[in-house]
Amino acid sequence: MFLLSFRPLLFHHECRPKLPAFPPPMSNFCRPRKTLHVRASGSPHRAADPAVTPGWQKMLATAASLYPLYVTIGGAVAWVNPSSFSWFVQRGPASYSFSLGFIMLTMGLTLELRDLFALFRKRPFSILSGCVAQYTIMPTFGAIISKALSLPPSLSVGLILLGCCPGGTASNVVTLIAQGDVPLSIVMTVCTTLAAVVLTPLLTKFLAGTYVPVDAIKLSISTLQVVVVPVLLGSYLQSAFPEVVKFVVPFSPLLAVLTSSLLASSVFSENVVRFRTLAISASSSSGFGTHLGGNPGTLFGDMGVVILSVALLHFAGFFVGYLSAAVTGLGERERRAIAIEVGMQNSSLGVVLATAHFSSPLVAFPPALSAVIMNIMGSSLGFVWRYMDPSDAVR
């Protein structure tokens, strides 16, 4: 988990110890090893062998693996000079929806429809396990962390609200990099987003004491537009124009990574100025500063505590999400997909809900910071897993 854009509401041959330059089309990740051997021996896929991978593909793969760097730079630029992303922000929500749709289209190019449909028919338990983990781990730890760090009420609500949000599309990109189960990741994104219509308000009310309504119609339409349709289109193009897609696929991961980085930085930049001003004015009345031991009336005095709370929440999602998948007996690729999906939230939805339903600007602060922190942590984990061959692929 990066984002689904909800601005309209306000705003995958052979698997072997040596890895290929970049994960091949994910559809083959779901097939038995016997099939993989046959496919890898065919001429259309010889380039997947690390020994004969063209140099330009290796360069593209290396560039795509630098996702953590792109997000870090983008976040720093957004903090220092938020107007750097105004050209993109001002064209929203169309720019956000188009970019999110483009990311999911690149995912669809690496998938086959039968892989997605096979999930519901053959592996419903994997889907259910992932969705349950999403809506139990993150909300629970949101409440635990906020209490452990003694966050002020507004920030506590913001952190809990973030934990109650569904997974985001950035998780699909990171799962691709991490050689996880991409079909499972995409299906989880769709399912948790649709479930958010009911679960996000109820969980927020139960844990934070505040009911946050979610527009069911707009949320469903947005999910259809930026997740389902692009993935289906990409899968169709893979079958209808295989030679063209074969040429384009090596570029897809890098394009998806760059687009996701732009989205994360833009969402963050939109809120920098707002929180610099409003949080300062709110500090005197909310205790944000004196309550955490910082300088009164100063946002920067407590920035470390807020960053820590958001980082701990996402770390809990990645770590406990992986453990929950392991305990239920799922394979390594599924574990990675679930860990990433649980750990990466739809932070932009959190920002929208916070600004629309709460008077204090501090409620939106944790989700806004999450847009950058979550992507740095998730992409770094994906980078590490990219160099670790999934155990179930070599059985």
Side-chain angles (χ1 to χ4, degrees):
M1 101 226 301
F2 131 82
L3 316 167
L4 276 170
S5 175
F6 293 92
R7 282 178 54 84
L9 295 182
L10 226 186
F11 54 85
H12 150 297
H13 47 94
E14 176 95 346
C15 291
R16 18 182 115 173
K18 283 189 177 181
L19 299 179
F22 200 84
M26 293 300 122
S27 58
N28 293 304
F29 283 167
C30 298
R31 301 176 185 167
R33 192 169 186 271
K34 179 179 179 181
T35 303
L36 291 175
H37 178 77
V38 174
R39 292 294 299 274
S41 299
S43 57
H45 299 273
R46 290 298 296 172
D49 191 317
V52 296
T53 300
W56 63 273
Q57 289 191 20
K58 294 181 179 179
M59 293 179 61
L60 288 172
T62 299
S65 69
L66 299 178
Y67 191 3
L69 178 62
Y70 305 146
V71 179
T72 302
I73 294 176
V77 171
W79 178 259
V80 175
N81 186 20
S83 62
S84 299
F85 297 93
S86 61
W87 61 274
F88 186 82
V89 173
Q90 292 172 359
R91 290 169 173 77
S95 58
Y96 285 78
S97 297
F98 178 82
S99 299
L100 287 163
F102 176 75
I103 292 174
M104 299 314 298
L105 177 62
T106 63
M107 298 294 101
L109 292 176
T110 69
L111 294 167
E112 292 184 9
L113 290 177
R114 60 181 179 180
D115 295 318
L116 292 173
F117 296 147
L119 273 174
F120 294 98
R121 186 176 67 255
K122 299 179 179 179
R123 297 192 290 156
F125 180 74
S126 298
I127 301 174
L128 180 61
S129 297
C131 292
V132 169
Q134 173 73 65
Y135 281 114
T136 55
I137 295 172
M138 295 299 278
T140 300
F141 275 95
I144 292 175
I145 293 171
S146 62
K147 185 173 183 178
L149 295 181
S150 300
L151 294 178
S154 295
L155 292 174
S156 294
V157 173
L159 192 68
I160 293 172
L161 177 60
L162 173 62
C164 295
C165 286
T169 56
S171 62
N172 310 141
V173 179
V174 174
T175 301
L176 176 65
I177 296 175
Q179 297 196 92
D181 192 328
V182 173
L184 175 60
S185 177
I186 293 176
V187 170
M188 277 187 61
T189 297
V190 174
C191 292
T192 58
T193 300
L194 294 177
V197 171
V198 174
L199 295 180
T200 296
L202 292 181
L203 290 171
T204 305
K205 174 65 175 178
F206 177 74
L207 296 172
T210 304
Y211 186 82
V212 181
V214 177
D215 192 313
I217 296 178
K218 289 185 178 180
L219 188 61
S220 300
I221 292 177
S222 179
T223 303
L224 180 67
Q225 290 176 334
V226 305
V227 180
V228 179
V229 172
V231 169
L232 296 179
L233 177 59
S235 298
Y236 167 76
L237 292 176
Q238 184 191 77
S239 301
F241 308 98
E243 292 304 317
V244 175
V245 171
K246 176 185 174 183
F247 174 77
V248 173
V249 161
F251 297 91
S252 297
L254 178 58
L255 293 175
V257 160
L258 293 176
T259 304
S260 185
S261 300
L262 173 61
L263 282 167
S265 302
S266 298
V267 169
F268 183 57
S269 72
E270 277 194 284
N271 295 279
V272 168
V273 175
R274 179 189 307 162
F275 296 124
R276 278 178 173 175
T277 57
L278 296 181
I280 290 176
S281 63
S283 62
S284 57
S285 61
S286 67
F288 182 56
T290 56
H291 183 84
L292 298 177
N295 297 320
T298 302
L299 172 64
F300 304 102
D302 297 313
M303 182 68 73
V305 178
V306 183
I307 291 177
L308 176 62
S309 67
V310 173
L312 286 175
L313 177 62
H314 291 297
F315 175 80
F318 295 128
F319 184 70
V320 183
Y322 184 90
L323 288 181
S324 68
V327 169
T328 55
L330 299 181
E332 178 64 19
R333 295 192 190 280
E334 294 172 305
R335 297 178 191 177
R336 294 184 183 185
I338 291 177
I340 294 170
E341 189 71 25
V342 172
M344 301 185 72
Q345 300 293 86
N346 189 338
S347 55
S348 62
L349 176 61
V351 171
V352 171
L353 294 177
T355 55
H357 301 288
F358 297 94
S359 58
S360 173
L362 298 181
V363 176
F365 199 48
L369 282 176
S370 170
V372 172
I373 297 175
M374 167 191 73
N375 280 276
I376 293 176
M377 294 179 68
S379 58
S380 297
L381 178 61
F383 179 82
V384 172
W385 269 338
R386 164 168 148 68
Y387 295 98
M388 297 172 62
D389 200 30
S391 60
D392 59 335
V394 294
R395 289 174 182 173

